[in-house]
Amino acid sequence: MFDFPDELSDLIQYVAGDFSVTARESKRHEFKRAFVQNDFSDYTKTLAVFGNASGGYILFGISDKPRQIVGTPEVVDEARWADRLERTCSKGLAKV
């Protein structure tokens, strides 16, 4: 497990004045404009890749062109998403 940064600037490089993101997507960072419920399967695959590597973040609220912090239209219910993720992933795991 890795620690979550205290500040956004510790997680992603951006220009404070206009919120332009200077960093690109990488092995540890995936940018999404918004959280879309129908894309949950894609998010799960991305998280699996991060989990099998050195960890990573899906950063919601970042537009693609231009790459800029724009926020999200809704607040993601983290507990609900974590429960769904656990149910989805636990189906393929053997109980020990």
Side-chain angles (χ1 to χ4, degrees), residues 24 36 46 50 79 88:
R24 295 193 175 273
V36 179
T46 300
F50 288 159
T88 301

Side-chain angles (χ1 to χ4, degrees), residues 19-36:
F19 297 104
S20 297
V21 175
T22 57
R24 295 193 175 273
E25 289 183 311
S26 68
K27 293 178 184 177
R28 297 194 65 219
H29 295 96
E30 178 83 17
F31 302 152
K32 301 291 182 190
R33 178 162 180 106
F35 181 85
V36 179

